Structure formats: structure tokens, C-alpha cells
Amino acid sequence: MRGGHPILPEGANQHRVNEALRPLKISILLMPSPNIKESLRFLRRRQKLEDGDEDLNELYFQDNTFFEIAKFVVYVTNKPPEEIVHEIQNYA
């Protein structure tokens, strides 16, 4: 399975996605920071969004769905790619 945003606007469909992902042994969430507001600021800068621009990432953090689906969370701010890969490999 590949990366993506497993968040759906309809509760019934979201429940189906959650149930489909639940049995997976590995489900990893990559986040800039444990702090949601800090993560959103980081993502806005990375996407070069201006103040007032719509940010779809805000929709993804309206609830805990990402965290409920993930079996493991890796915080990536200020980490080189090799360190992130090492964390993931140690988990897997």
C-alpha cells in the first residue's frame, strides 16, 4: 500500500477506510511535529501558501483519524532522510 490521505468527509465511508486499514501490520504517519499547529505552519511553508490561501491539510487534522489509523508516528522536522528511514526500518 502507498501513501495518501485516508480521510473522507462522510462518516460511513471513513469508517470503512478505518476498518480496512486496521488489520495492517504497518501503518506509518509522517508528521513534522507532535504539535498540530506547528505541523500546519511547517506544511504551509513547504507548500509556499500565502496567508488566506486554502490549506487542505487543515481538514486532515480536524480530528484524530490519522492518529487512530497509524500504528507508528515519525516526527520528521530537522531530521535528515537517512534518520527518518532508520526510524521506520527499526519499527518495521
Side-chain angles (χ1 to χ4, degrees):
M1 184 170 256
R2 298 176 192 203
H5 297 288
I7 307 292
L8 299 170
E10 296 175 5
N13 288 336
Q14 184 63 59
H15 180 72
R16 287 180 58 211
V17 169
N18 292 2
E19 290 304 308
L21 295 174
R22 190 174 317 282
L24 294 179
K25 180 179 175 185
I26 298 174
S27 176
I28 300 170
L29 172 60
L30 300 176
M31 287 284 294
S33 160
N35 181 298
I36 299 297
K37 288 182 181 179
E38 186 179 310
S39 291
L40 286 169
R41 281 193 299 274
F42 175 93
L43 295 168
R44 285 185 70 79
R45 280 191 309 271
R46 188 176 76 179
Q47 295 175 72
K48 298 179 178 151
L49 295 175
E50 301 290 330
D51 286 342
D53 286 350
E54 184 177 10
D55 184 1
L56 294 177
N57 286 307
E58 291 178 7
L59 297 174
Y60 304 132
F61 296 110
Q62 289 180 351
D63 60 29
N64 289 327
T65 301
F66 272 133
F67 296 96
E68 292 169 2
I69 292 171
K71 307 280 192 301
F72 183 63
V73 180
V74 177
Y75 298 105
V76 301
T77 298
N78 299 323
K79 291 182 183 176
E82 297 81 13
E83 185 177 340
I84 297 166
V85 168
H86 183 70
E87 269 189 68
I88 292 169
Q89 288 174 331
N90 282 341
Y91 171 74

